[in-house]
Amino acid sequence: METKNNLLISTSPHIHSPISTTKIMWIVALCLLPAGVWGVFNFGINSLFIVLASVVSALLTEFIITRLLGRFTLLDGSAFLTGLLIGYNMPPDIPAFIPVLASVFAIAVVKQTFGGLGRNFMNPALAGRVFALFCWTEDMTRWSPSMLSASDAFTGATPLSQGPAEFLSKSGSYLDLFLGNISGCIGEVSVLLLLVGAAVLFLLRIITWEIPAAYIGTFIVFAWVFGGLTDGGGFFRGDVLFHTLSGGLMLGAFFMATDMVTSPLTRKGMIIFGVGCGFFTFIIRFLGGLPEGVSLAIILMNITVPLINKFSKPVKFGLVRDNNNEAGK
Amino acid sequence: MKKIMTFPMGGVHPPDSKEYSNSFSIRNAPIPSLAVIPMQQHMGAPAECLVNVGDKVEEGMLIGKSTGYFSANVHSSIPGTVKDIQEIYLPTGMKSKVVLIELEGEFRKPGSKSDDWRSASPKDLLDKIVNMGIVGLGGATFPTHIKYNLKPEVKLEYFVVNGVECEPFLTCDHRLMLEKTNEILEGIEIINKIMNPQDIYIGIEKNKPDALAVFEQTIGAKGLPFKVMPLKVKYPQGDEKQLLKALIGREVPSGGLPLDIGAVVSNVGTVFAIYEAVCLNKPLIERIVTVSGTAVKTPSNLKVRIGTKIGDLIDECNGVSKKPGKIIVGGPMMGFATADLNAPVTKGTSGVLVLSVREANLAGELTCIQCGKCVAACPLGLNPTTLYKLVDHGLYEEAKAESLFDCKECGCCAFVCPSHIPLVQGMRLGKFMVKKQKVK
């Protein structure tokens, strides 16, 4: 071989798994698409406009800020994903300036102020949603009826604002909840399609079971044990199925609580995080003044992540366990 | 059916890429016309050079004398004349004195096999290992006599033969196990005589079913008391810490040695070298090297004299099939990239890999997104992302307090990192800086 060459020198390892951050972001966005398409079918073309408005404003905000900083990050997909999630978290007939401002807030204040992708301490999309919820509460809680629902949904109230008894007697069935023939935010209504997207993420190992399982599991337990008290059934009489299928729980548990940046590092930490999300979702949904608690619960737990990381460090090899026990599990 | 074991924490599954070379028998590499023999081929102090320019040396002659206990002897791999003595950088980045020997004169006739060791004392056998310059051939090149020299009061529980070969691409141990089964088993008997352990395990991963079968069969036929242990395929199972955790369920304490949990581990290549040293009176002047990679025309397993240039080995494999982007000495997970085709094969060189430009090109680094994949992959339960950030911010002492020095640079974290952060480089930098600050 000739000795003059352009050989690359770098530290080991010299091979790499095929996954990359950019791929992760775009795959998550792809997995969210079916639920959004359903939302557009369900609520009409205006909801597509809402989603596009939030995506475009998120991308534009990211572009302007990173341009000022001399970088270009649009292709990493994170701003797109944030915009998409904000759109999914909006009621279908909201004035378009609200999702736009929510996206600007999410990207400019929550994400870029702290240094961009990977450095934000709470989920930007959720922060944007909560920002909008507190600024324009009335618009954020005015629901348009589902166009696909068989019942004459004249009020357009969401299942959660009606409560299980009223919903099931007047507006629809559990199957409607599962398929998404209900009113609600654009991207959160179709549990079925969200689960399909989540299944793909599981298979590709982009999300792991810990956070969704701990989140939904904890929520189910609390909703079952105590949920009946506020819904009128008593202890151990909560309508678990109704509460699991309604609201933003599925979107939150699979697509937002699992946001890598704002969730803990270790398996132990992820379980603590999920349990906390489930608990606070229950508290806010059943005892709080708002009908829905997913976004606030996740944001609250986002803030505790550094603390959780501190107390859930991995167990180091060869430090703790007793070596005379043949503990080869 | 035996229980198939593995270690529980961390680890990754890179494609094993053994199919490039695992079906090719070991063949002899050409004798180098100029052997470049470093004095530093092992962990510990470099050997002291015993020859001068112009000296005639014979094949297998001692040319570097072990300096103290933590060192190893170095022998000439070819007969000839000492042409020059230089200082060069080895692919590992270490600077070493090298002896350049020009080929000239007669080769030794291969001696007949001797069975004298059966009546020799453990002390004599251990001396043989010291004299013949045997070091661990798995890659770490830890001087073998240190491992085997047990204090009289120590009763060894386990001797484990490491036939795991978890690095992708490498097949030198695999081929050796298939082709030299009897010799390896005799080597184990020699080691058994030196240390007299209670149990002897041979750990082999399931992606080498033929090696597992031939060992089961031969051990059964000979009636030897060794146990063949099939292991799941998982990197870095070939590391002795992970291997012992998998086989005996104990953890080597942080900063400790396998002996602390009653075990000694040796690579199959080392066992074979011990067999040759004891039965054939042959010093460690040859080893098996896998030449492979996606850009090599004829991947091969070669028997190579120490000091052969890696460029010659690639030529011996008919050169490259596409434009090479990176040449690795060792395996792809822990080996060293080099651009120096004149770099010599040393005792620790288990492979020479040529990757194409496409595979060599690094993806751009992005910011850490805290995904925790590195934490889940670390077989030692460390937190690579936090360690990297500490090092990146110059907080070396803090990194040390977070067990930076437990890291053995296996590369699992950097392999899985979706943001392609050079985590291993960070760990190395951190260790270097801590040591540097101490010297000040």
Side-chain angles (χ1 to χ4, degrees), chain B residues 23 36 97 111 285:
Chain B
S23 56
V36 182
K97 194 182 251 189
I285 55 170

Side-chain angles (χ1 to χ4, degrees), chain A residues 1 8 10 14 16 21 117 318 323, chain B residues 251 315 325-326 332 335 417-419:
Chain A
M1 273 182 74
L8 188 73
S10 67
H14 306 289
H16 197 279
T21 300
L117 174 63
N323 274 319
Chain B
E251 295 185 1
D315 287 341
K326 193 185 245 182
C417 178
S419 286

Side-chain angles (χ1 to χ4, degrees), chain B residues 193-249:
Chain B
K193 180 143 187 163
I194 298 174
M195 295 191 289
N196 193 24
Q198 283 167 11
D199 269 310
I200 294 182
Y201 292 161
I202 303 167
I204 301 173
E205 277 187 354
K206 286 293 277 180
N207 58 356
K208 296 178 266 293
D210 43 356
L212 278 164
V214 73
F215 267 85
E216 283 283 8
Q217 224 167 35
T218 321
I219 286 171
K222 292 189 169 196
L224 292 167
F226 311 153
K227 293 190 190 102
V228 180
M229 307 297 239
L231 294 154
K232 267 186 208 158
V233 179
K234 184 152 117 183
Y235 179 86
Q237 197 147 239
D239 184 278
E240 54 190 16
K241 288 187 177 184
Q242 268 58 50
L243 182 58
L244 289 173
K245 178 71 184 171
L247 290 180
I248 65 175

